[in-house]
Amino acid sequence: MAAVGEWVLLAYRLPREPSGPRTTLWRRLRRLGVAQLGDGVVALPADARTRESLEWLADDVLAAGGTAGIWTARPGTAAQERELAAGMAAARAEEYRALTGECAAARTAPAAERARALRRLRTEWRAVGRRDFFPPPEREAAAAALRALAEAAGEPAAAGRGSRS
């Protein structure tokens, strides 16, 4: 990553009570795969989808009685951006390792359980892929494990579906 790119930031504050909106926001931020820059400040690589996602969350924060702002910014150095990207890639790598392990465990399950696990793990694969902005090497291992599970479930040609996000 030579040039420093643009990021979209959400700066927010939510009241402590009720705790429901805080919990909901935390889950949604986690689902987006944000980089936590500080207390109440998160970032994603800037594009139309990530900006819109953070704008929706900002609206939710405001509706819950909090304050929120959307910013676009560039890290001061390429090293800072690499650090952000590495942190995000490490989080996805952990998710891909878990997916790989679940695929391996499901391969030895009875046929009906294998098929259910395959459907669930394909859904999880797509969810991780949506928040995978800096794909780690573990992504390919998870794709291979998903293909192997598909073959074990009797889907020889459909196994390639696991390699797309």
Side-chain angles (χ1 to χ4, degrees):
M1 188 181 304
V4 177
E6 193 167 86
W7 291 68
V8 61
L9 282 60
L10 168 64
Y12 65 92
R13 284 186 75 125
L14 268 171
R16 294 219 181 270
E17 294 298 327
S19 63
R22 293 174 72 82
T23 302
T24 298
L25 178 66
W26 178 82
R27 286 183 182 139
R28 289 179 178 161
L29 291 170
R30 187 167 177 259
R31 197 171 22 242
L32 289 174
V34 299
Q36 187 82 40
L37 300 181
D39 198 25
V41 182
V42 297
L44 286 170
D47 66 22
R49 179 180 64 96
T50 57
R51 182 175 179 87
E52 181 180 22
S53 295
L54 292 182
E55 285 172 350
W56 279 103
L57 292 180
D59 289 345
D60 291 345
V61 168
L62 295 173
T67 59
I70 299 292
W71 299 77
T72 53
R74 292 182 187 278
T77 66
Q80 287 175 320
E81 187 167 48
R82 281 192 303 272
E83 184 179 329
L84 275 177
M88 292 173 81
R92 298 304 74 79
E94 187 175 314
E95 290 178 297
Y96 284 128
R97 282 191 295 274
L99 190 84
T100 300
E102 289 183 55
C103 286
R107 283 180 64 194
T108 61
E113 287 180 39
R114 246 190 333 254
R116 276 193 302 278
L118 178 60
R119 285 190 301 276
R120 180 180 59 78
L121 293 169
R122 279 183 172 153
T123 298
E124 179 64 20
W125 166 266
R126 287 188 295 274
V128 174
R130 282 190 296 274
R131 60 182 167 262
D132 187 2
F133 297 96
F134 306 98
E138 289 83 356
R139 175 185 169 91
E140 290 309 313
L146 200 52
R147 285 190 300 270
L149 176 57
E151 288 175 18
E155 293 188 22
R161 289 183 3 194
S163 65
R164 292 185 220 136
S165 55

